[in-house]
Amino acid sequence: MFSAGAESLLHQAREIQDEELKKFCSRICKLLQAEDLGPDTLDSLQRLFLIISATKYSRRLEKTCVDLLQATLGLPACPEQLQVLCAAILREMSPSDSLSLAWDHTQNSRQLSLVASVLLAQGDRNEEVRAVGQGVLRALESRQPEGPSLRHLLPVMAKVVVLSPGTLQEDQATLLSKRLVDWLRYASLQQGLPHSGGFFSTPRARQPGPVTEVDGAVATDFFTVLSSGHRFTDDQWLNVQAFSMLRAWLLHSGPEGPGTLDTDDRSEQEGSTLSVISATSSAGRLLPPRERLREVAFEYCQRLIEQSNRRALRKGDSDLQKACLVEAVLVLDVLCRQDPSFLYRSLSCLKALHGRVRGDPASVRVLLPLAHFFLSHGEAAAVDSEAVYQHLFTRIPVEQFHSPMLAFEFIQFCRDNLHLFSGHLSTLRLSFPNLFKLAPPSAACSTAPSRVRTAVLCPQFLAWNSPPLTSEFVALLPALVDAGTALEMLHALLDLPCLTAVLDLQLRSAPAASERPLWDTSLRAPSCLEAFRDPQFQGLFQYLLRPKASGATERLAPLHQLLQPMAGCARVAQCAQAVPTLLQAFFSAVTQVADGSLINQLALLLLGRSDSLYPAPGYAAGVHSVLSSQFLALCTLKPSLVVELARDLLEFLGSVNGLCSRASLVTSVVWAIGEYLSVTYDRRCTVEQINKFFEALEALLFEVTQCRPSAALPRCPPQVVTVLMTTLTKLASRSQDLIPRASLLLSKMRTLAHSPATSSTHSEEGAEAIRTRATELLTLLKMPSVAQFVLTPSTEVCSPRYHRDANTALPLALRTVSRLVEREAGLMPG
């Protein structure tokens, strides 16, 4: 992000210790006390600002230094650059009890704005926000609208309106509305005077020319932020500042006074001829200040939309056109919500604007506020917004996924408009593969209208921009998950790092190299590029990049092998780190809507995908940790899952391959079998099933505990061994014919834990844990009735009363068993 030199300076600033900073502040104090505040003072203040702003924690400055900074800020003859630095340093220290700036005694408007910025950074600790607002309003009342001082104070007023909307009284709000009307509508059309010339300057050379449009034509209509010139007058600067605060002020002022018809009778106005009549007659009558401001704001936005049609001569002006279009549409949306009469006056130009910008990739950000406008006002204006959704949700994510700003704004748009998607929420859920690639069409939705099939959520945004967008998607996921989308959504989440690798290859193979975004140039993967272009694998790549839900799932294991060289890409690694968080959010949402059938399918998917993950570093471990906890959560929701999926669980346990990498999931599965394979949870549980699981777990325990030097068996965590022994004991307590086999097995395990060969497989702590657990379980099996009571308690025994009341049977039984275990352990040799 920064150059090497900038990184070095930041590193040095962060490494400065408090003692060094104290000495440096003493030097600055001497410089600030001198009569001549020269270049040394400027350089030292710049260094001090770098030091205190380079760290995320606040630095403490000596009180003498803080007082001198405040005094320097208030000096009338102090150079402006020094005052700006003093204010910046004091803002970095805020909030602080050592600041005591005096607002009332400052006369210079530039100083007022700097002092106000420090006070506002303090927060509203002593009603500073109100005091600052009242001070700016006094300046507004005492000076003419074209007064030069207001240019520095208006941004402060905009900040006050946002921080403390209730600061202004009714007459003050009216005054500000009048001033905004003057600045927005009546700014000069002549450029500002140049600085006073030197010896060779002539009166003719100093004559200002007219302002121009962005295409170079002379402006014939009123001045706006898109008007161009070499120099600007103060009222033109106020025009720009007034537009920047216009939307916030409209939201603050709201429809009040004579404009209360906006809110009380809105439902009657919308769609009626009265709205059209009022729209044409408002210009011919004298309007109150707030209504007049809305009228001027509407004209200003219309003028901006007209100016955006012009071809800009400079790229900076072209970018400014797009930014102004976004703000103009947002202001029009506020106006139409406050007064529906503006709606019918806005529709024609906004429809034309949408038709113009939808084909321009450079203007894609304008489509988001336009979509919000049509989503908010579509019904009242009888606008069919399906075409807007189709273009916005199908093409934009595919073409612009590499734009981080657009990605963030797009997800914010989805989040902020969830309440407006009440009639289109299935749009988000069913056709989201283009933004998140997770929604399969289901039979229940096959008859939905075509609007419901629009693509909304694209995983390209998340795969390419996962670190900054993770929290946004976590907040959005609950609205996207339902029973029809859950399985494909889970597959897509697990394949997200693989998708990131494919997107990287897609950009690397793009023909227009000048338009491609940056990627990790240190990574060379020619074999991956060849595979990406190979027709043999095009089907898998197209499935991963599909724009809409396919309703089917593909096994992407071949792609995992082909794209393994891309696993070291930094973007892939970042995406892999985000997936566990997204999985947690997904399961939190899906468990709220899952029925019994879906829970079974989710459990099977967890087992099946546990050994089919993209080989990014550390990815499998993070995913397995989430899958193991969520498998237990699914079993808690539906305890009969173990009986219903008995065959699949037996197949899962039938192989020891990859046990170490899936140790957490295997542990959860084994624990769930021991906990829920019982007639207590499912009457369909039979002795035959218990025997089959016992044999499978017995074989698994035998496999993982053999210490054969010739066999390349992976090391098994001791937690897996202890859970296996516990589950086998639980099953034996429910089928007492198995008790002799279980006792023999536990005896062998206890003996094995004592053998020297175990030290090569487990640590001393692990061997001790296995030995202790085997001893405890052996003691329990010597008393089958107690073992069944402790290991398979009834529902009544599990109630809280049995754990709180010392006179009930469970605490008594536990104390008895503890004594027996201790006695047995004392009789054992060494």
Side-chain angles (χ1 to χ4, degrees):
M1 180 181 290
F2 297 105
S3 64
E7 287 284 359
S8 176
L9 287 174
L10 286 173
H11 180 72
Q12 293 176 26
R14 291 168 182 152
E15 292 297 319
I16 290 179
Q17 303 299 318
D18 291 341
E19 190 63 31
E20 298 176 82
L21 180 60
K22 186 176 181 180
K23 293 178 181 178
F24 186 59
C25 287
S26 300
R27 180 171 176 269
I28 290 178
C29 289
K30 293 178 182 178
L31 291 172
L32 292 176
Q33 289 172 335
E35 293 185 4
D36 182 21
L37 301 176
D40 288 344
T41 308
L42 178 64
D43 180 69
S44 297
L45 288 178
Q46 288 175 335
R47 291 175 180 272
L48 180 60
F49 175 70
L50 176 63
I51 291 170
I52 67 173
S53 62
T55 57
K56 61 183 178 182
Y57 58 90
S58 58
R59 296 270 199 173
R60 292 182 60 85
L61 301 182
E62 295 292 325
K63 187 177 186 307
T64 305
C65 183
V66 174
D67 293 340
L68 285 172
L69 289 172
Q70 295 181 91
T72 305
L73 179 58
L75 288 176
C78 179
E80 178 185 345
Q81 200 169 2
L82 288 178
Q83 289 181 330
V84 170
L85 279 170
C86 289
I89 294 170
L90 294 173
R91 283 197 302 270
E92 284 292 329
M93 293 179 56
S94 300
S96 173
D97 295 328
S98 59
L99 295 182
S100 57
L101 286 171
W103 164 266
D104 297 332
H105 303 297
T106 309
Q107 297 299 325
N108 182 279
S109 63
R110 190 179 297 276
Q111 280 183 301
L112 280 173
S113 65
L114 292 174
V115 172
S117 69
V118 178
L119 291 175
L120 293 179
Q122 283 281 91
D124 204 10
R125 309 185 82 180
N126 298 309
E127 296 191 352
E128 284 97 344
V129 175
R130 184 177 185 83
V132 170
Q134 294 299 321
V136 175
L137 285 169
R138 284 194 296 271
L140 283 174
E141 293 171 350
S142 60
R143 303 176 189 274
Q144 296 299 319
E146 62 273 9
S149 65
L150 299 182
R151 172 182 167 184
H152 307 292
L153 296 181
L154 193 57
V156 178
M157 191 70 248
K159 188 71 172 177
V160 170
V161 169
V162 174
L163 291 178
S164 182
T167 298
L168 307 185
Q169 300 174 1
E170 182 66 25
D171 57 337
Q172 294 171 332
T174 300
L175 171 67
L176 183 56
S177 294
K178 290 180 179 179
R179 291 285 190 262
L180 290 174
V181 167
D182 293 336
W183 294 325
L184 288 170
R185 193 62 178 83
Y186 303 112
S188 172
L189 285 175
Q190 295 294 315
Q191 297 187 41
L193 287 171
H195 298 296
S196 56
F199 178 79
F200 296 101
S201 63
T202 62
R204 180 181 298 273
R206 291 197 300 269
Q207 293 301 315
V211 297
T212 61
E213 304 289 359
V214 291
D215 60 356
V218 175
T220 57
D221 209 338
F222 62 89
F223 182 91
T224 71
V225 66
L226 283 178
S227 300
S228 299
H230 295 290
R231 297 174 184 85
F232 295 104
T233 61
D234 285 308
D235 65 335
Q236 290 168 350
W237 281 113
L238 287 169
N239 178 283
V240 175
Q241 293 172 346
F243 178 65
S244 70
M245 69 171 290
L246 178 60
R247 180 158 55 100
W249 178 248
L250 288 173
L251 289 170
H252 162 71
S253 58
E256 296 177 8
T260 51
L261 183 63
D262 307 347
T263 54
D264 296 341
D265 299 331
R266 177 177 300 177
S267 60
E268 298 179 9
Q269 271 201 9
E270 290 187 350
S272 66
T273 55
L274 177 60
S275 302
V276 182
I277 295 174
S278 63
T280 57
S281 62
S282 59
R285 57 188 175 89
L286 186 62
L287 298 174
R290 293 187 183 181
E291 291 190 22
R292 174 61 178 155
L293 176 60
R294 288 184 215 146
E295 188 67 33
V296 168
F298 177 78
E299 295 173 358
Y300 197 101
C301 293
Q302 293 282 91
R303 169 114 166 90
L304 288 177
I305 293 174
E306 181 272 326
Q307 287 178 297
S308 69
N309 286 323
R310 298 177 180 269
R311 185 179 182 84
L313 300 178
R314 296 185 295 270
K315 183 180 184 303
D317 289 339
S318 177
D319 295 337
L320 183 61
Q321 281 179 311
K322 300 176 183 63
C324 290
L325 276 178
V326 171
E327 186 64 18
V329 175
L330 292 173
V331 171
L332 287 175
D333 177 62
V334 174
L335 292 174
C336 293
R337 282 190 278 121
Q338 293 182 350
D339 185 351
S341 66
F342 288 112
L343 178 60
Y344 303 95
R345 301 164 62 185
S346 306
L347 281 176
S348 58
C349 70
L350 291 182
K351 287 180 179 179
L353 175 63
H354 180 262
R356 177 165 59 88
V357 301
R358 64 175 299 175
D360 181 11
S363 302
V364 65
R365 292 177 64 186
V366 184
L367 291 173
L368 295 177
L370 280 171
H372 173 78
F373 184 93
F374 292 129
L375 191 62
S376 301
H377 307 286
E379 290 187 11
V383 175
D384 185 6
S385 52
E386 181 176 354
V388 180
Y389 300 145
Q390 286 285 353
H391 181 265
L392 184 67
F393 296 142
T394 55
R395 295 186 55 188
I396 300 306
V398 171
E399 298 170 356
Q400 303 291 330
F401 67 87
H402 50 73
S403 170
M405 182 60 71
L406 178 63
F408 178 78
E409 291 180 354
F410 201 104
I411 303 306
Q412 281 287 89
F413 167 80
C414 294
R415 283 191 60 187
D416 296 342
N417 291 282
L418 279 177
H419 64 287
L420 297 176
F421 274 102
S422 57
H424 313 280
L425 192 55
S426 50
T427 303
L428 284 163
R429 291 174 172 170
L430 289 179
S431 302
F432 61 88
N434 207 24
L435 181 59
F436 206 91
K437 288 188 179 173
L438 305 177
S442 62
C445 304
S446 59
T447 58
S450 59
R451 180 180 301 176
V452 175
R453 302 179 185 276
T454 310
V456 176
L457 216 86
C458 174
Q460 284 103 326
F461 275 157
L462 181 56
W464 195 257
N465 306 279
S466 53
L469 288 186
T470 300
S471 60
E472 303 299 319
F473 268 90
V474 166
L476 190 60
L477 268 175
L480 303 174
V481 177
D482 70 350
T485 65
L487 295 177
E488 193 171 350
M489 185 177 292
L490 181 53
H491 275 292
L493 278 174
L494 294 172
D495 291 327
L496 212 56
C498 188
L499 174 62
T500 306
V502 173
L503 292 174
D504 190 286
L505 291 176
Q506 187 181 42
L507 289 176
R508 289 172 189 263
S509 61
S514 60
E515 299 178 2
R516 292 180 296 184
L518 295 176
W519 56 75
D520 189 358
T521 55
S522 64
L523 185 66
R524 306 287 182 181
S527 61
C528 295
L529 282 172
E530 292 176 4
F532 184 73
R533 301 187 183 103
D534 191 340
Q536 178 183 354
F537 303 107
Q538 281 302 302
L540 292 177
F541 283 114
Q542 292 303 319
Y543 169 78
L544 199 57
L545 294 170
R546 63 197 185 281
K548 286 190 176 183
S550 63
T553 57
E554 293 281 347
R555 298 291 291 183
L556 299 179
L559 283 189
H560 296 167
Q561 298 174 2
L562 288 172
L563 302 178
Q564 187 171 3
M566 299 291 296
C569 176
R571 196 177 294 274
V572 173
Q574 288 181 330
C575 180
Q577 292 172 2
V579 170
T581 302
L582 295 166
L583 287 174
Q584 293 280 13
F586 167 79
F587 280 105
S588 297
V590 77
T591 51
Q592 305 298 318
V593 298
D595 57 9
S597 175
L598 179 57
I599 289 176
N600 285 2
Q601 295 177 50
L602 289 171
L604 289 175
L605 196 155
L606 297 187
L607 301 177
R609 287 301 306 268
S610 62
D611 62 346
S612 179
L613 298 172
Y614 185 67
Y619 179 56
V623 170
H624 287 152
S625 177
V626 177
L627 296 187
S628 61
S629 62
Q630 296 305 322
F631 182 83
L632 293 179
L634 294 176
C635 291
T636 304
L637 279 177
K638 186 183 179 184
S640 60
L641 178 149
V642 174
V643 173
E644 294 178 4
L645 302 182
R647 179 179 301 176
D648 302 282
L649 293 176
L650 287 170
E651 291 179 2
F652 176 77
L653 297 171
S655 174
V656 76
N657 295 332
L659 177 61
C660 285
S661 62
R662 296 185 291 166
S664 58
L665 182 58
V666 171
T667 303
S668 296
V669 171
V670 173
W671 186 90
I673 292 170
E675 184 70 14
Y676 299 111
L677 188 63
S678 169
V679 292
T680 304
Y681 295 100
D682 194 330
R683 295 294 179 183
R684 294 171 294 178
C685 178
T686 63
V687 174
E688 182 182 359
Q689 283 182 327
I690 293 176
N691 292 338
K692 286 183 178 180
F693 273 102
F694 185 93
E695 292 173 358
L697 294 175
E698 184 182 32
L700 180 60
L701 182 60
F702 177 79
E703 289 284 345
V704 301
T705 55
Q706 294 309 298
C707 302
R708 291 172 293 177
S710 60
L713 289 175
R715 293 188 175 185
C716 178
Q719 293 83 358
V720 177
V721 177
T722 55
V723 171
L724 277 168
M725 291 190 301
T726 304
T727 298
L728 285 167
T729 306
K730 288 181 178 180
L731 297 182
S733 69
R734 296 166 198 166
S735 177
Q736 301 204 0
D737 293 339
L738 298 174
I739 289 180
R741 291 174 61 181
S743 299
L744 180 60
L745 184 63
L746 292 172
S747 299
K748 290 181 179 179
M749 291 305 304
R750 185 171 62 180
T751 304
L752 183 63
H754 280 284
S755 66
T758 308
S759 60
S760 63
T761 308
H762 302 293
S763 63
E764 181 61 33
E765 293 80 5
E768 178 62 27
I770 294 172
R771 186 163 54 246
T772 303
R773 179 63 59 88
T775 302
E776 293 172 349
L777 295 174
L778 268 172
T779 306
L780 274 177
L781 285 181
K782 290 180 179 180
M783 297 169 289
S785 58
V786 176
Q788 186 173 11
F789 178 78
V790 173
L791 298 176
T792 313
S794 63
T795 307
E796 294 80 8
V797 173
C798 292
S799 65
R801 184 176 67 85
Y802 276 83
H803 298 270
R804 289 197 297 261
D805 189 352
N807 297 321
T808 55
L810 185 59
L812 180 61
L814 291 176
R815 286 195 298 270
T816 304
V817 171
S818 298
R819 294 193 193 100
L820 291 172
V821 169
E822 293 170 1
R823 183 184 307 168
E824 182 71 17
L827 296 175
M828 286 176 53

